[in-house]
Amino acid sequence: MTKFSENFSRRKFIVTAGASAVSSVLLKGCLGNPPEPGGTADGGAGKAGGAPVATSAVAVANEKRVEGIESTKITLGYIPIVESAPLIIAQEKGFFAKYGMVDVKVAKQANWGSARDNVEIGSAGGGIDGGQWQMPMPYLISKGLITKEKAGIPMYVLLQLNTQGNGIAIAAKHEGKGLGLKLDKSAQDYILGLKKAGTRFKAAYTFPKANQDLWLRYWLAANGIDPDADVELLTVPAAQTVANMKTGSMDGFSTGDPWPLRIVKEKIGFMSALTAEIWKGHPEEYLAIRGDWVDKHPKATEALLAGIIEAQQWCDKPENRAELVSIVSGKSFFDVSPAVLTPPFSGKYVMGDGKPDINDINMGPLYWKDPVGNVSYPYKSHDLWFITESVRWGFLPTKTLADKKGLIDKVNRSDIWKKAAKLAGVAEADIPKSTSRGKEKFFDGIEFNPEQPEAYLKSLAIKKV
């Protein structure tokens, strides 16, 4: 029984336990997020590669059930990092159940490769219907560019889970070399000198052509370093990243909370930059679900999103952050000490290498609102930035931008988000009127105007197109 149902039972509400844990095969992928938590349980059928599955409870006090809901069941995958908090909270605090989604299964994925494999087979085959994703993975899956069978599986981007909560870590052996947010000439020469010496700077991410890869590339290129020519970018399995940095076989990696604190406190390395410094209020990870599931269950989709929207609002209230840490740090979810989660959820970062500490809640992960505006709404202009960057680095052909509107309209379903927001009682003032957030500005002064992505590409000095 979940923490949610236990709480309501104590208050003498009638609660029916959710369905038993899903029997699933969580295929062992090769990529994940560093480092993988230990203590994962079997997936419900004793099959290899299984992971814990939490299930929603059935009844709540202030129900807002959706009339004519097509299904109450869905299986959502998540990676145990702060980006997944709204999914866990929606399940644990009963927000899914409030809207009639009483049998939501929240299934821990071993890594991003497992999530990709599991959405390909779907819940009917023992996988997942959707869940948490780095961008632009839903687009790459839709096009069949990263699926194992190379067949397109239409996905719908439905909601942005969070902003920020990521950073770039550098091995301790590079302390004192000026490897911060901005690199001066001596720092640039240091990295280029490693290349000349035949020991190129090695930086890793846990899934190619997605968020972590793109953050590294933008930071390097903005500082005059060609990520494809001057350094070596690696895809490294999650379990090996910290070990590789300790042994010196890897110089840096793109990592999400709560790992920056551990890296600095254990003297493994330091943080050169938070992604919140690279692009304040940037989109981080998203909820995306198989298009065939959404098309078959439109009302259930709205109910599901309404529950997540309420969870995001709950997550952002400072008075709830201690309980948030208590829930997600548990063995069923992240399986980490609450001590490593409390600082980032308060916006407190120890950067290391002589850099000043950061103490600003607006620099940490946010789920509902940030200083720019709404976090949850999936702006199509943000999808366009990820697609444009993918063209920049040769991950997508240049002709992709010619059909940008058609491509984005097929995948991004911000219209469903708006219906769900109204169902959740979101104030009209908090529902964005435009699918574009407008111009975006980066730490190096570059602007991305979603009305002119080609001009943005042209303005960039380092690119592959």
Side-chain angles (χ1 to χ4, degrees):
M1 185 178 288
T2 66
K3 185 180 295 182
F4 161 75
S5 57
E6 290 171 356
N7 290 342
F8 274 82
S9 293
R10 284 197 293 270
R11 294 173 187 153
K12 298 184 179 180
F13 285 97
I14 298 174
V15 177
T16 304
S20 61
V22 64
S23 173
S24 65
V25 182
L26 297 180
L27 300 177
K28 193 67 177 176
C30 60
L31 308 165
N33 250 47
E36 290 180 8
T40 56
D42 180 74
K47 297 180 180 180
V53 180
T55 308
S56 293
V58 169
V60 294
N62 55 342
E63 289 181 347
K64 292 179 69 174
R65 296 204 176 202
V66 177
E67 186 177 349
I69 195 169
E70 306 88 0
S71 174
T72 62
K73 298 180 179 180
I74 190 170
T75 302
L76 300 175
Y78 78 95
I79 301 292
I81 48 177
V82 296
E83 288 85 340
S84 65
L87 302 181
I88 294 168
I89 292 302
Q91 181 266 323
E92 286 291 280
K93 298 295 291 184
F95 295 122
F96 284 141
K98 176 178 178 178
Y99 292 92
M101 295 301 293
V102 295
D103 192 17
V104 177
K105 297 178 178 68
V106 182
K108 185 186 294 185
Q109 305 296 288
N111 44 58
W112 295 110
S114 287
R116 172 205 58 199
D117 295 345
N118 284 321
V119 82
E120 188 169 358
I121 61 177
S123 63
I128 60 177
D129 300 300
Q132 168 194 356
W133 302 99
Q134 292 189 61
M135 192 65 89
M137 286 182 74
Y139 285 87
L140 301 179
I141 293 170
S142 293
K143 283 180 162 289
L145 296 177
I146 60 172
T147 56
K148 292 181 75 174
E149 300 300 325
K150 301 303 179 185
I153 301 168
M155 298 286 291
Y156 290 161
V157 169
L158 298 166
L159 175 147
Q160 184 180 309
L161 289 169
N162 72 301
T163 185
Q164 304 173 161
N166 216 299
I168 297 171
I170 306 294
K173 68 180 182 180
H174 299 295
E175 287 181 356
K177 304 300 183 182
L179 302 185
L181 175 65
K182 295 183 178 181
L183 307 185
D184 60 19
K185 189 176 185 305
S186 64
Q188 293 171 350
D189 289 345
Y190 174 70
I191 291 180
L192 295 175
L194 293 174
K195 174 187 174 183
K196 290 179 182 177
T199 56
R200 284 197 298 172
F201 187 92
K202 295 180 176 64
Y205 40 76
T206 57
F207 199 89
K209 305 178 182 179
N211 277 16
Q212 291 186 352
D213 187 355
L214 297 177
W215 302 144
L216 272 171
R217 286 173 174 274
Y218 193 95
W219 173 68
L220 288 165
N223 281 301
I225 305 296
D226 188 328
D228 289 309
D230 298 332
V231 301
E232 186 175 350
L233 295 184
L234 309 168
T235 301
V236 174
Q240 297 177 22
T241 49
V242 174
N244 284 3
M245 186 173 276
K246 283 181 177 179
T247 60
S249 57
M250 192 174 73
D251 300 291
F253 63 89
S254 182
T255 183
D257 287 326
W259 311 121
L261 179 68
R262 176 184 165 184
I263 289 163
V264 176
K265 288 214 165 186
E266 294 183 14
K267 301 188 185 305
I268 298 167
F270 60 93
M271 300 305 297
S272 61
L274 301 181
T275 51
E277 296 177 290
I278 294 172
W279 178 7
K280 192 167 290 186
H282 69 77
E284 183 54 28
E285 291 181 10
Y286 287 77
L287 173 80
I289 297 174
R290 287 178 60 118
D292 54 5
W293 194 97
V294 175
D295 290 341
K296 188 177 179 180
H297 309 99
K299 292 185 178 180
T301 302
E302 290 177 33
L304 187 81
L305 295 191
I308 298 174
I309 285 170
E310 283 210 35
Q312 289 179 295
Q313 294 171 329
W314 186 92
C315 286
D316 262 9
K317 292 179 179 177
E319 62 268 26
N320 293 335
R321 285 288 170 107
E323 185 181 356
L324 171 60
V325 168
S326 176
I327 292 171
V328 301
S329 65
K331 286 189 177 295
S332 296
F333 299 113
F334 293 6
D335 192 19
V336 298
S337 167
V340 301
L341 282 170
T342 298
F345 274 127
S346 302
K348 296 179 180 179
Y349 293 89
V350 178
M351 301 297 285
D353 195 28
K355 298 178 178 64
D357 294 348
I358 290 173
N359 185 5
D360 181 355
I361 195 167
N362 288 319
M363 294 293 283
L366 297 169
Y367 301 95
W368 176 242
K369 282 186 176 180
D370 62 21
V372 183
N374 191 290
V375 169
S376 176
Y377 181 71
Y379 286 100
K380 291 184 178 181
S381 60
H382 287 163
D383 292 22
L384 179 57
W385 181 83
F386 284 107
I387 290 169
T388 306
E389 282 291 297
S390 297
V391 171
R392 174 188 186 180
W393 300 116
F395 302 155
L396 290 173
T398 54
K399 65 180 181 181
T400 306
L401 290 178
D403 188 34
K404 54 186 179 292
K405 186 179 187 304
L407 173 62
I408 293 172
D409 286 348
K410 281 182 182 178
V411 178
N412 184 302
R413 295 302 305 273
S414 57
D415 58 313
I416 300 177
W417 184 96
K418 289 186 175 183
K419 292 177 182 177
K422 290 178 181 178
L423 176 62
V426 174
E428 194 66 33
D430 288 334
I431 298 177
K433 301 297 186 290
S434 173
T435 60
S436 173
R437 200 172 74 170
K439 294 179 181 179
E440 305 286 348
K441 191 169 184 176
F442 299 83
F443 80 101
D444 57 341
I446 292 290
E447 282 191 349
F448 173 73
N449 182 350
E451 298 299 319
Q452 300 174 320
E454 293 87 356
Y456 165 80
L457 265 182
K458 189 176 181 180
S459 72
L460 301 168
I462 298 177
K463 51 184 178 282
K464 292 191 75 172
V465 293

